[in-house]
Each structure stands twice: as C-alpha cells, then as structure tokens.
Amino acid sequence: MASITLDNVGKVYPGGTRAIGDVNMDIADGEFIVLVGPSGCGKSTLLRMVAGLESITDGTVKIGDRVVNEVEPADRDIAMVFQNYALYPHMTVRQNLEYGLKNRRTPRDEIARRVEEAAGILQIGQYLDRKPRALSGGQRQRVAMGRAIVREPAAFLFDEPLSNLDAKLRVTMRLEIKDLQRRLRTTSLYVTHDQLEAMTLADRLVVLNMGRVEQIGTPLEVYRKPASTFVAGFIGSPAMNLISSRAVPHLPGSAHAGLLGIRPEDLVVDPAGAIELKITAVEELGAQRLVHGLVGGEDFTVTMPSDAALGDSLTLSVPAQALHRFDKESGLRLD
C-alpha cells in the first residue's frame, strides 16, 4: 500500500484545451477517495494521469515516495478496474486471474495462492473454470476486481466500474467494493458521476467541475457545508434549492446573501413561515413525495411525507442552521 500525492497537476491537450487545472490532493495510505462530478469534468482524465495512461503537462504525481510522471503504467504498482470489465473472452476465469501474474513471472505456487484467496474474498470460486460469456454482469465485475486483487498493488484505481450494471446490482456491488476495500486497506481512487455512489463509498469526496477541484471533504462535510453553488446543486438528491434573496425577503438572514441554499428535506410546514410555495407538480416516491413549485417566481422543491395534506400552496419555514448563503457572482459559500 502507498499514499498518492498530486501537486499542482495539470493537463493541456494539443491545441491549448485545458482538461485539468492545478489539482492538489493528498491521499493517505489505505484511504478510499472518490472523484465525482458531471460528464466531461475531467475525473477520468485525472485518474488516467495517476495510472500513467495520460501524460502530465504540469505538476507531479507521487505514489508513495516516488515521482511517477515518467514511469510506465506497468511499473507504477497500481491495478485498474474498468467500466467494461476488459476480460479475455477465450480464457477461463482462472486464466484471466492468472494472466498478469504469469507475465510478471510470479512463481506458480504464489499464483495459485493469490487466485484462491481472491476467489474466496469475491465468492467466485465456483466460476473459476467458466469463461466470461457464461457469467452475469455482476460476476464479470467480480472477476475484474479479482484480477486487480491478485496483483496486491500499492493502489486500486476504479474507472466507473458499476455503470454497466442495473440499479439493484449497483447497490449490491458498491457495498461489496466498500467492504473489500476496508478488509484489504488498499489505497483506492474511484471515479463516478453518480453522487449517491460517491457518498456511500468515499472516505473523502473530491468534487470536480470543468477540470478543477471545487471541494474536498468527507461526504457529510460536503453535504452539510457545500463550498459553492456547484457543489450544493450536485451533491444531494433532490438537489439543494438555490434561490435569490429577493424571492424570500422576509426570511431571516436573506438580506446578507445574494443566493440562498435550502435543502428540500430541511423544510417544514409552518403557518407562520416566511416561505410561500405555489405548487405546480407532485412526484410520488412511496414513503415520500417531492412537491415542486415556485417561491417568488423561482423553482423550488420540498420533500414531504406521502400522507401529507396538500392544497394549491404551502407555507414553509427552515431552521436557521439549515440555511446556506452564497455569493451571487462567484457562487462561493459566504460563511
């Protein structure tokens, strides 16, 4: 295992397009870091730079105490798990697991030990003699993770490994990945655009936007104190309401911010409240419902119990500690 350090790392493509700008990050030995952000924000590019699959234009990447900018991917002591599994279709599961070790001339008994150990951890022992076409998507992804585990690398790099799975299987697999990482304590860097996946997996989140880091923190830190309107709108489902202070002029504290952030789940029905919501639509979600509408002419959402009585409008209040304030021009958090 090893730490990973990114010091002012940047990436500029030929023609001048900047994909990554001045990223600084310290990943502790054994830590699980998730890079999260919308499509095109640079998270996969950054991961590939750590892996050595993309060149580094600026700054340095260190794995452990070694600068790896010019080190070949095969010599960086990392193992990658990809979105598309990347299994050899003509080989059995056992042969897929053994392949990289054989190329490194690992002794035969050591190969057997590692394969059996990985198969036991991932519960794929009964599939060792099957070929990938005879496996389900979840089983194939376990084999892909097994191929990484047998390497016993300094770090795991995951590039959206669950995006090809159905919703129910994604839930199961992310729990397995988290449990696996806790047992192995291998430093892990994981890329996803799914903020729920990011929240449940990460020791710390790195929220990226247009190639730059918006915020680094634990999932609860990022959720409770988003550093910008971008983070506030991206982390949390449903997204935080972001409205101008003029839409709620009677709300305490509204005069001190250009933009106010209020999470839908923090609102309560209160006849004496300062927020008047004109209802335009309702989404039924079973135990809850999302009530959509307008506050001062601006879009607004509130989470309510499914049995809550509704009319054409609601009067709402929000606890002072749940009110977020942002600068209108920069989008940065004010407190």
Side-chain angles (χ1 to χ4, degrees):
M1 296 186 290
S3 60
I4 299 175
T5 304
L6 281 67
D7 185 12
N8 291 319
V9 168
K11 173 70 177 180
V12 180
Y13 286 110
T17 301
R18 178 166 285 279
I20 300 293
D22 299 327
V23 171
N24 292 281
M25 194 188 316
D26 291 307
I27 305 173
D29 190 356
E31 191 173 20
F32 197 126
I33 294 290
V34 176
L35 303 177
V36 64
S39 297
C41 72
K43 54 190 182 295
S44 288
T45 300
L46 190 58
L47 185 83
R48 290 171 62 85
M49 291 166 74
V50 175
L53 302 176
E54 290 275 0
S55 61
I56 299 168
T57 308
D58 309 304
T60 58
V61 173
K62 292 172 67 177
I63 299 177
D65 296 325
R66 180 174 61 150
V67 175
V68 296
N69 288 37
E70 305 299 328
V71 177
E72 291 296 317
D75 299 323
R76 294 194 180 196
D77 197 17
I78 54 94
M80 288 197 70
V81 180
F82 296 96
Q83 175 180 339
N84 62 359
Y85 318 136
L87 302 177
Y88 296 107
H90 62 287
M91 294 183 181
T92 65
V93 169
R94 186 188 301 276
Q95 289 168 334
N96 268 278
L97 296 177
E98 293 174 340
Y99 185 73
L101 298 178
K102 287 183 175 179
N103 283 348
R104 290 170 178 80
R105 304 186 189 283
T106 306
R108 184 175 301 178
D109 59 343
E110 178 65 10
I111 292 175
R113 182 193 68 78
R114 293 192 192 184
V115 168
E116 292 299 325
E117 185 175 298
I121 290 172
L122 295 166
Q123 299 180 2
I124 56 173
Q126 64 270 42
Y127 310 127
L128 288 175
D129 295 322
R130 296 187 188 182
K131 291 186 177 178
R133 64 175 177 270
L135 304 177
S136 68
Q139 290 162 352
R140 292 179 192 180
Q141 193 54 275
R142 285 192 183 92
V143 176
M145 288 192 292
R147 193 169 52 189
I149 289 171
V150 298
R151 291 272 310 278
E152 298 184 354
F156 291 137
L157 306 183
F158 297 88
D159 191 4
E160 303 207 46
L162 307 184
S163 58
N164 285 341
L165 305 180
D166 63 64
K168 184 177 180 180
L169 188 53
R170 281 203 303 272
V171 173
T172 301
M173 288 299 297
R174 71 175 179 240
L175 291 174
E176 290 186 8
I177 288 174
K178 185 62 175 178
D179 180 64
L180 176 67
Q181 196 272 340
R182 281 175 175 163
R183 281 190 285 162
L184 298 178
R185 297 308 303 167
T186 304
T187 308
S188 299
L189 189 58
Y190 187 106
V191 161
T192 182
H193 64 274
D194 184 330
Q195 56 95 14
L196 179 60
E197 191 173 296
M199 292 284 286
T200 54
L201 282 173
D203 293 330
R204 284 191 299 155
L205 295 177
V206 178
V207 185
L208 289 171
N209 179 27
M210 299 180 66
R212 297 187 179 275
V213 174
E214 290 271 340
Q215 187 170 0
I216 299 176
T218 68
L220 284 181
E221 286 171 348
V222 173
Y223 177 80
R224 289 174 177 168
K225 293 194 70 173
S228 66
T229 53
F230 174 82
V231 178
F234 190 79
I235 298 296
S237 182
M240 181 183 285
N241 296 297
L242 293 168
I243 59 174
S244 62
S245 56
R246 68 174 180 272
V248 282
H250 305 298
L251 187 67
S254 62
H256 301 293
L259 285 174
L260 296 174
I262 306 171
R263 292 208 178 275
E265 59 270 29
D266 287 334
L267 291 147
V268 294
V269 176
D270 180 0
I275 302 172
E276 295 292 333
L277 173 68
K278 181 180 179 181
I279 298 173
T280 58
V282 178
E283 286 185 87
E284 299 291 353
L285 302 179
Q288 293 180 324
R289 55 171 49 145
L290 296 183
V291 181
H292 304 282
L294 298 172
V295 170
E298 299 183 29
D299 292 335
F300 203 84
T301 299
V302 57
T303 302
M304 301 188 67
S306 60
D307 58 354
L310 296 176
D312 295 329
S313 63
L314 287 172
T315 304
L316 307 163
S317 65
V318 59
Q321 66 270 21
L323 192 62
H324 306 262
R325 300 174 179 85
F326 301 95
D327 180 77
K328 189 173 183 177
E329 298 302 320
S330 67
L332 297 177
R333 188 179 188 88
L334 289 177
D335 51 345

